[in-house]
Amino acid sequence: MEELIELIKERRSIGKVKEKEVPKETVCKLLDAAIYAPNHFRTQPWRFIVFMGKGREKLAQIFDAAMLNGAMVFRAPVILTVISSPKDDPKIIEREEYAAVCAACQNILLAAWCLGLGAIWRTGEAAYNKKVKELLGLKEKEEIVAFIYVGYKDIKPRDFERTPFEEKTTWILTP
C-alpha cells in the first residue's frame, strides 16, 4: 500500500510528450481505470471521446470552428475528452456527478503514470465553449471536465514545494 502513496506523490503533469503513437490497448487501460472511480448511486456519470492519430484532425477542426487554436491538439498523440453526463433523476446532485468524473480523471492520470506515460489535464476556453460542446455532440446538461493529453514523456517532470497538509487541516477531536 505504501507503493500507492508513493505513486500519488511521484505523479506529475507532463506537458511535453513525444509524437510516438500510444497503442489503443494502452489507452483502453486508462479508460478502464477511469470507470473505477467512486460515484454516488453508482450512476457512472462519465463519457469519453478519444482522439488519436489522424482523428485529432477532427478535434482541430472543431477548435478552429469555435475560433480556438486547433493546432494545440497536435501536442500529444492521444487526447481523452472526459465528459460529465449526469443522470436525469431528481435524487441525483449534479455537483456530485461532476466530482465523480473528476475522480475518474485522476484515475486516468495515475494509470498513465504507472504505464510510463505522460499526461496533463487541460480545460481552458475549449472546455467551456458552446460551439465545441455542440460539435462534440454534448447533451444539454453534459460538461467537458477535461481534455487529457497523453503520450510518452519528453521532459523530466519538475518538482515543486507542496504546502504541508498541517497548514490546511483543522482537527476536531474528542477527548
Side-chain angles (χ1 to χ4, degrees), residues 18 27 46 49 52 56 76 96 100 122 156 171:
K18 298 174 183 172
V27 175
W46 35 74
I49 302 173
M52 295 176 62
R56 296 174 299 167
E96 290 180 1
R122 293 284 189 208
K156 185 177 187 225
W171 295 86

Side-chain angles (χ1 to χ4, degrees), residues 108-175:
I108 290 170
L109 296 172
L110 290 169
W113 191 264
C114 280
L115 296 170
L117 298 168
I120 190 165
W121 178 337
R122 293 284 189 208
T123 52
E125 187 179 349
Y128 309 106
N129 186 289
K130 287 182 181 185
K131 187 79 170 169
V132 170
K133 290 179 182 183
E134 173 190 317
L135 293 171
L136 286 175
L138 270 65
K139 298 174 193 142
E140 184 182 341
K141 288 188 172 186
E142 290 184 322
E143 294 182 66
I144 297 169
V145 176
F147 291 103
I148 301 179
Y149 291 79
V150 181
Y152 293 97
K153 301 172 200 166
D154 200 22
I155 59 170
K156 185 177 187 225
R158 290 183 289 165
D159 203 5
F160 66 94
E161 188 78 23
R162 303 280 177 158
T163 303
F165 75 87
E166 292 89 351
E167 293 181 29
K168 297 188 174 267
T169 304
T170 302
W171 295 86
I172 301 172
L173 304 171
T174 57

